[in-house]
Amino acid sequence: MALTSYGVAIREGFEHLLSYHPKVFTIGQGLWSPWYVGNTMTDLEQQFGKARVIDTPVSELATTGAALGAALCGYRPIVIHPRVDFMLLAVDQLVTQAAKWRYMFGGDVAVPLTVRAIINRGGEQGAQHSQALHSWFAHIPGLRVVMPASARDARDLLIASVLCDDPVLYVDDRWLYGIEEEIGPPVELDLAWEGPKLTRSGGDLTLVGAGHSAWLCSEAARALAEDGVSCDVIDVRVLNPFDATLILDSVKRTGRLLAVDGDWATCGFAAEILARVAEEVPPSLLRAPSRRLTLPDAPAPTSGPLERSYYTTVGDVIAAARQIAGVRGDSWE
Amino acid sequence: MEISADLGTLADSRQHHAPLELPKQNRSWLPGALRRMVLIRTAEDHIGQMVTAGKIRCPCHLAIGQEAVAVGVSKSLRPTDRIFGAHRSHSHYLALGGSLRALMAEVLGKDTGASRGMGGSMHLIDLEHGLRGTVPIVGSTIPIATGAALAAKMDGKGDIAVSYFGDGATEEGVFHESMNLAATLRLPVLFVCENNLFSSHLHISLRQPRDSVARYATAHDIPAVRVDGNDVVAVASAADEAIERMRREPGPFFIEAVTYRWRGHVGPRDDEDVGVRRKDDLVVWRKRDPVQRLYEALREAGDADSASLELIEREVLAEVAFAWAQAEQDPFPPPESLLSRVYGRPS
């Protein structure tokens, strides 16, 4: 079977939704342009028409609000923000309107709005073209937050997000667009039942991450296995509402936790993972202090050497994992 | 402060006190409109009293004095239209035919409320009559109504969206983004600005260089009219014409209805939070009473008299009292609703 990349898988998700669900449309900046959203939406406007694939003025707030309005009237819109940074102009509609709409109107109003935000960083783009910020949004009750780390999830969690009757922030990462796997035909999942997934089993250490960080964990775990350190790897997938059960069960077995996150440390998602473990895992089961690996608490730098030390690499994850597992070089301490 | 006075006599509290000029034909809706306006005023007056009495705790922004705008616009709306309001929206809700009991229950935080007690005065919904939601973040429902208009256009059944907001909302960026989007995509959204000259405590002369906001519609290539917002006939006629056109050929329209709120920004007091020359002005503005001017016109035309008005007032008072009594007896939301209403139920 052929391999499908993460970027192409996203496009397959759109194609499935637009083909089989007439109430789905997508709206945002750059949708008729080949260079805003990589290869994830190529030629959709030619395939499905410009009435359902709508390119917009630079009005993030109004566009997001308009999609919410259409969602309240029976449609299933997908708003595209080609960069998380620009989406911050739309926070009122996302956080104060969409996330609270069902609750403040009694609990029965469906809000089938999906907002797709793309993390687009590296390449010396600097402080305002690099942010992730999923931790902020995972803080908001009523807003489901999804971060796919595999090509299959990139497609199937997009479909699940759009078919969900709650507002969903779907965050994909350009650094993952090239990864490939066999993904089979599209599946329509119920997002309410989706959550963290164990993608690799091992007894020495639990590695946890979401999106690109989950990919870092997988890559690191493969290298660590060659050194004789076996890891549980958990791909968080759904950050809010956050079901930590799988992580807690894993840490109870391994006694060691490394949470990796591509957001900042302070009040970040990695801190949430550590907090759950601190609350739920008896200290007697822990064999080492839990650790997190995140961005340093600084905006993204532009200068090349600074940028190289800013982002977490597979090597950083391996080093931190070894330290937690008490491995020096190739031998156990 | 000097301000360019585009509104002319509409902003002059000493003008437009005379009885309304009634249309020659199609007047049968006017007694109903009078009753609806009396209902809004009576219900809001009651809510104000209950705030003072400490029985209502949630913030209540009263539209007393502005009743003609919602009643005039609602005349041409149908239940499949999509209407959005703001913080001062009891009038929009009641003008569309919303249940009095559900309003009273909502401001009391009861499970039988319009929003099942989860919203209070500032979050009203009534899907049966087309009210899709009201929220107090200034300007926030303007893009939402714009998107509801996009949905209506996609549906292709001639429905429209209505966005009610105040003059303060025209100072929000999203107002301009939404007008541009509506004009560019030709969306059937009726922007209704109730220009009551105040944003919270600040008179428009302290916030904008001109006193009329219709100029923003012109800038966005959206047709606009200014009307006396205390003249239900003028409002209805402007809305009628706009809505009829929008149903035929989707596109936005803007109505600036100039009016005046008799109470403070929030709560029942008439002087609360309000600055400049308010006290003297209010006395004169009360003479441009939308209810009284309609009643006088109907009386002159022989369509009403003091006995019929008294009967309306008595009946409405009884309706309000009955709705309140029921709402007071109603249950609060069950404890589990604190968490069970955050997300939809899984399939």
Side-chain angles (χ1 to χ4, degrees):
Chain A
M1 213 174 156
L3 298 177
T4 304
S5 73
Y6 184 102
V8 168
I10 291 176
R11 195 192 179 287
E12 282 187 14
F14 279 107
E15 189 169 344
H16 175 88
L17 288 161
L18 288 161
S19 298
Y20 298 103
H21 298 278
K23 291 291 190 182
V24 171
F25 71 91
T26 178
I27 182 167
Q29 285 167 48
L31 301 197
W32 301 340
S33 155
W35 47 269
Y36 270 77
V37 291
N39 58 352
T40 63
M41 300 182 76
T42 309
D43 292 340
L44 283 176
E45 84 281 8
Q46 285 170 36
Q47 194 176 346
F48 296 100
K50 290 186 172 180
R52 292 180 75 200
V53 181
I54 307 170
D55 205 334
T56 66
V58 192
S59 303
E60 290 83 2
L61 184 52
T63 302
T64 307
L68 170 57
L72 297 175
C73 296
Y75 285 82
R76 295 188 177 276
I78 309 158
V79 186
I80 311 297
H81 293 291
R83 282 180 192 281
V84 171
D85 311 73
F86 289 79
M87 182 179 68
L88 299 191
L89 289 162
V91 165
D92 170 61
Q93 288 298 324
L94 197 50
V95 171
T96 307
Q97 308 306 328
K100 293 166 180 59
W101 201 273
R102 174 188 290 278
Y103 194 74
M104 68 194 181
F105 291 111
D108 295 325
V109 184
V111 187
L113 169 71
T114 299
V115 176
R116 177 186 171 208
I118 303 175
I119 300 174
N120 184 349
R121 57 191 164 171
E124 304 186 5
Q125 297 185 84
Q128 297 189 345
H129 271 44
S130 301
Q131 296 177 92
L133 295 175
H134 43 273
S135 305
W136 264 21
F137 294 99
H139 181 66
I140 306 301
L143 182 64
R144 296 183 185 271
V145 178
V146 169
M147 285 182 88
S150 67
R152 185 193 299 268
D153 271 354
R155 180 193 63 195
D156 292 343
L157 288 182
L158 175 66
I159 295 170
S161 298
V162 176
L163 299 183
C164 176
D165 280 342
D166 295 316
V168 181
L169 178 65
Y170 169 100
V171 184
D172 59 276
D173 192 319
R174 279 212 174 206
W175 278 349
L176 291 171
Y177 284 9
I179 64 168
E180 293 182 324
E181 63 176 338
E182 286 180 11
I183 63 173
V187 180
E188 295 191 351
L189 303 166
D190 182 342
L191 188 59
W193 298 114
E194 296 306 311
K197 215 175 212 171
L198 189 69
T199 58
R200 185 186 185 100
S201 295
D204 298 325
L205 173 68
T206 303
L207 294 177
V208 185
H212 182 258
S213 299
W215 179 83
L216 288 177
C217 290
S218 293
E219 293 297 300
R222 195 180 319 167
L224 287 160
E226 287 170 16
D227 283 354
V229 181
S230 72
C231 300
D232 264 6
V233 175
I234 294 171
D235 171 4
V236 175
R237 299 172 79 238
V238 179
L239 285 73
N240 195 45
F242 180 42
D243 180 357
T245 312
L246 192 67
I247 296 167
L248 300 174
D249 289 348
S250 169
V251 176
K252 282 174 191 168
R253 265 187 293 107
T254 65
R256 299 184 180 96
L257 169 69
L258 174 61
V260 182
D261 191 32
D263 203 345
W264 288 299
T266 304
C267 298
F269 197 74
E272 178 62 28
I273 296 169
L274 264 66
R276 300 286 180 116
V277 167
E279 284 179 331
E280 300 286 338
V281 178
S284 60
L285 296 182
L286 291 174
R287 296 192 276 170
S290 300
R291 263 194 71 182
R292 57 187 155 154
L293 207 51
T294 67
L295 296 180
D297 282 334
T302 47
S303 176
L306 291 178
E307 188 183 58
R308 276 190 289 282
S309 66
Y310 183 71
Y311 292 112
T312 304
T313 63
V314 174
D316 296 333
V317 179
I318 293 169
R322 285 167 170 275
Q323 187 262 324
I324 295 167
V327 183
R328 293 283 179 274
D330 288 342
S331 61
W332 289 87
E333 265 186 1
Chain B
M1 181 184 240
E2 282 303 311
I3 181 167
S4 297
D6 298 331
L7 291 178
T9 63
L10 290 180
D12 182 348
S13 54
R14 293 159 304 178
Q15 311 268 346
H16 306 286
H17 294 177
L20 303 185
E21 216 169 287
L22 299 185
K24 296 275 178 286
Q25 281 147 5
N26 301 327
R27 283 169 21 189
S28 59
W29 64 281
L30 286 168
L34 179 68
R35 187 190 182 93
R36 202 46 73 85
M37 284 160 61
V38 170
L39 173 72
I40 293 169
R41 183 165 298 183
T42 309
E44 292 225 287
D45 190 53
H46 180 83
I47 288 171
Q49 290 173 33
M50 294 303 104
V51 169
T52 305
K55 293 199 171 184
I56 297 173
R57 300 297 304 274
C58 70
C60 292
H61 304 75
L62 305 179
I64 293 175
Q66 305 183 195
E67 299 89 346
V69 182
V71 171
V73 170
S74 297
K75 175 177 173 284
S76 304
L77 296 176
R78 58 196 195 196
T80 47
D81 291 329
R82 303 95 199 266
I83 297 99
F84 291 86
H87 54 291
R88 196 178 308 287
S89 281
H90 298 167
S91 59
H92 308 140
Y93 170 94
L94 290 172
L96 287 164
S99 149
L100 255 184
R101 178 186 179 174
L103 173 63
M104 297 303 175
E106 192 55 45
V107 297
L108 284 167
K110 299 297 184 79
D111 201 35
T112 51
S115 301
R116 301 184 69 194
M118 306 302 282
S121 163
M122 299 187 291
H123 298 293
L124 300 175
I125 189 167
D126 178 15
L127 297 177
E128 193 190 330
H129 294 99
L131 186 67
R132 298 279 176 153
T134 71
V135 312
I137 303 297
V138 176
S140 281
T141 42
I142 300 176
I144 300 174
T146 302
L150 173 62
K153 188 178 180 180
M154 287 173 164
D155 289 343
K157 293 175 182 162
D159 294 327
I160 67 155
V162 177
S163 176
Y164 286 111
F165 51 89
D167 44 304
T170 68
E171 291 144 25
E172 296 281 5
V174 76
F175 164 68
H176 300 276
E177 287 187 22
S178 301
M179 296 233 290
N180 180 55
L181 204 60
T184 305
L185 300 180
R186 305 294 310 149
L187 305 179
V189 51
L190 178 62
F191 297 107
V192 181
C193 179
E194 296 182 61
N195 184 351
N196 64 17
L197 307 176
F198 279 90
S199 173
S200 175
H201 57 295
L202 271 191
H203 189 262
I204 195 164
S205 61
L206 301 172
R207 300 181 282 117
Q208 299 195 24
R210 308 188 85 89
D211 65 357
S212 169
V213 300
R215 69 186 191 281
Y216 297 124
T218 310
H220 289 288
D221 222 15
I222 294 174
V225 292
R226 288 187 192 110
V227 296
D228 175 359
N230 288 17
D231 178 343
V232 72
V233 173
V235 173
S237 148
D240 251 344
E241 200 183 316
I243 293 170
E244 198 265 333
R245 196 161 87 193
M246 292 163 71
R247 292 200 197 286
R248 255 187 301 117
E249 195 182 327
F253 196 90
F254 190 100
I255 295 175
E256 177 175 13
V258 183
T259 183
Y260 200 79
R261 64 171 151 80
W262 291 10
R263 304 297 177 95
H265 166 62
V266 61
R269 289 176 48 180
D270 62 11
D271 58 349
E272 202 157 32
D273 295 342
V274 181
V276 254
R277 285 173 287 139
R278 159 81 175 182
K279 280 211 155 155
D280 302 338
D281 228 18
L282 181 58
V283 178
V284 194
W285 267 105
R286 279 175 180 271
K287 293 181 183 163
R288 199 193 282 184
D289 181 348
V291 177
Q292 196 62 26
R293 285 166 73 204
L294 173 60
Y295 165 69
E296 291 296 345
L298 288 173
R299 193 177 56 79
E300 284 175 9
D303 292 346
D305 56 27
S306 61
S308 68
L309 179 63
E310 263 175 47
L311 182 64
I312 289 176
E313 287 172 342
R314 235 188 0 256
E315 285 177 352
V316 163
L317 206 57
E319 278 175 47
V320 169
F322 185 60
W324 176 261
Q326 284 180 310
E328 274 202 304
Q329 298 301 311
D330 284 342
F332 288 103
E336 65 269 21
S337 54
L338 183 70
L339 292 175
S340 68
R341 294 173 180 177
V342 180
Y343 298 99
R345 285 171 204 87
S347 56

